[in-house]
Amino acid sequence: MSIKKEKYIRLTLSYLVVLAMVAIILYPLAWIIGSSFNPGQSLSGSSIIPENATLAHYEKLFDLERSNYLHWYWNSLKVSIFTMLLTVIMVSLTAYSFSRYRFVGRKNGLVLFLILQMIPNFAALIAIFILAQLTGLLDTHLGLILIYVGGQIPMNTWLMKGYLDTIPKELDESAKIDGAGHMRIFLQIVMPLAKPMIAVVALFAFIAPFGDFIIASILLRTEQKYTLAVGLYDMVAKQFGAEFTTFAAGAVLIAVPIAILFLSFQKYFVSGLTAGGTKG
């Protein structure tokens, strides 16, 4: 077999694999979008291209008298935005400390973070529920935010630290010679250079609470305080009111803020994600 023919076969197989992966990913997405425009509430007759497309389900979601969807959407945005901001601040400070300073317990702290990132939040649901009840944070968005932030610190600290280790420490030393203090070096020198990894951490910190169901369903008790995942589940879990096509419409709209955030951070995302794998 000639080299040219062998390259052609490899290229063809590569395209076939890519097309298969694209079909696997896009088909469920196209089906749920088509279902959101399908009349009625049953998914049995839904199709990717509905015959009698309607916007009735979207209209119902935005009708405050018929649905609490906008309340749930606002709750999810609020929780996700505050989680993102607090996570970026906490992770930046923690990772900078581990990257730039040598102190007692540093290695043990990194090992502890490595172990903690292997344990999912829902593994401690009972402890989380009791702690929230004892501190008065049950059925509050503040309690939910604190849990999300705490759960994201270990993994993101490792990612951020790996990226900060690639930033030359000579820049810090030059700034110190010029009279800059620790906080000024952190804010004006290191953080601007760490924008790609900050974008990665921010995106991860926003997406996780926006789509979380397990922890939110345990802590939130009032329908007005539900997040999107809990509210949409409640919509289809009702015994006599399973509104599956309305659920599909609500699920489609969930992707809007995530897509906007991803497109905004896209130029930083790839470089930050790949560079964050460096360990030091």
Side-chain angles (χ1 to χ4, degrees):
M1 184 182 295
S2 64
I3 297 177
K4 185 176 181 180
K5 188 175 182 180
E6 185 178 350
K7 287 183 178 180
Y8 178 78
I9 293 175
R10 288 181 179 179
L11 185 62
T12 303
L13 291 175
S14 299
Y15 277 119
L16 289 176
V17 171
V18 171
L19 288 174
M21 293 298 102
V22 170
I24 292 173
I25 294 172
L26 292 184
Y27 178 78
L29 181 61
W31 189 82
I32 201 71
I33 293 175
S35 299
S36 69
F37 292 102
N38 208 65
Q41 292 296 345
S42 176
L43 294 179
S44 59
S46 298
S47 60
I48 294 180
I49 303 176
E51 295 181 2
N52 301 309
T54 176
L55 293 174
H57 306 305
Y58 290 95
E59 293 174 359
K60 180 179 179 180
L61 291 177
F62 287 94
D63 188 347
L64 293 176
E65 296 181 358
R66 301 167 61 193
S67 171
N68 287 319
Y69 184 79
L70 290 180
H71 291 293
W72 304 336
Y73 212 103
W74 166 246
N75 291 340
S76 289
L77 282 176
K78 180 173 66 176
V79 170
S80 296
I81 289 172
F82 277 104
T83 299
M84 178 180 68
L85 294 176
L86 290 176
T87 298
V88 168
I89 293 172
M90 296 298 295
V91 167
S92 298
L93 291 170
T94 307
Y96 180 76
S97 300
F98 279 116
S99 176
R100 288 300 194 262
Y101 302 120
R102 300 295 180 267
F103 50 88
V104 177
R106 176 180 177 273
K107 290 186 177 180
N108 292 334
L110 288 172
V111 172
L112 179 62
F113 274 15
L114 186 62
I115 296 173
L116 288 175
Q117 76 180 34
M118 300 176 185
I119 304 174
N121 286 342
F122 61 82
L125 283 180
I126 297 176
I128 289 173
F129 178 82
I130 294 175
L131 184 61
Q133 194 173 36
L134 292 175
T135 55
L137 295 176
L138 190 65
D139 197 26
T140 65
H141 292 150
L142 176 60
L144 204 58
I145 291 170
L146 292 177
I147 291 172
Y148 287 144
V149 172
Q152 295 196 53
I153 286 177
M155 182 189 73
N156 288 320
T157 295
W158 270 94
L159 286 175
M160 180 70 80
K161 176 190 173 298
Y163 190 89
L164 295 183
D165 287 342
T166 65
I167 299 177
K169 294 183 179 179
E170 288 77 8
L171 296 175
D172 302 25
E173 296 170 358
S174 299
K176 288 179 181 177
I177 294 175
D178 293 336
H182 295 286
M183 187 56 66
R184 187 174 181 182
I185 294 173
F186 171 74
L187 292 175
Q188 298 185 4
I189 297 177
V190 177
M191 285 299 100
L193 296 175
K195 284 181 180 179
M197 182 49 62
I198 292 175
V200 172
V201 172
L203 188 63
F204 286 170
F206 183 89
I207 292 175
F210 207 80
D212 176 69
F213 169 77
I214 297 178
I215 297 177
S217 64
I218 294 297
L219 292 186
L220 300 179
R221 292 288 181 267
T222 308
E223 186 174 351
Q224 290 291 329
K225 294 184 180 180
Y226 283 172
T227 55
L228 273 174
V230 182
L232 289 175
Y233 173 79
D234 185 67
M235 181 184 294
V236 297
K238 293 176 180 178
Q239 185 176 359
F240 300 107
E243 304 173 358
F244 291 105
T245 46
T246 306
F247 171 89
V252 169
L253 294 177
I254 290 178
V256 174
I258 297 175
I260 293 174
L261 193 66
F262 178 80
L263 292 175
S264 301
F265 291 162
Q266 187 178 16
K267 62 180 179 180
Y268 302 114
F269 188 73
V270 176
S271 60
L273 190 60
T274 53
T278 306
K279 298 292 189 294

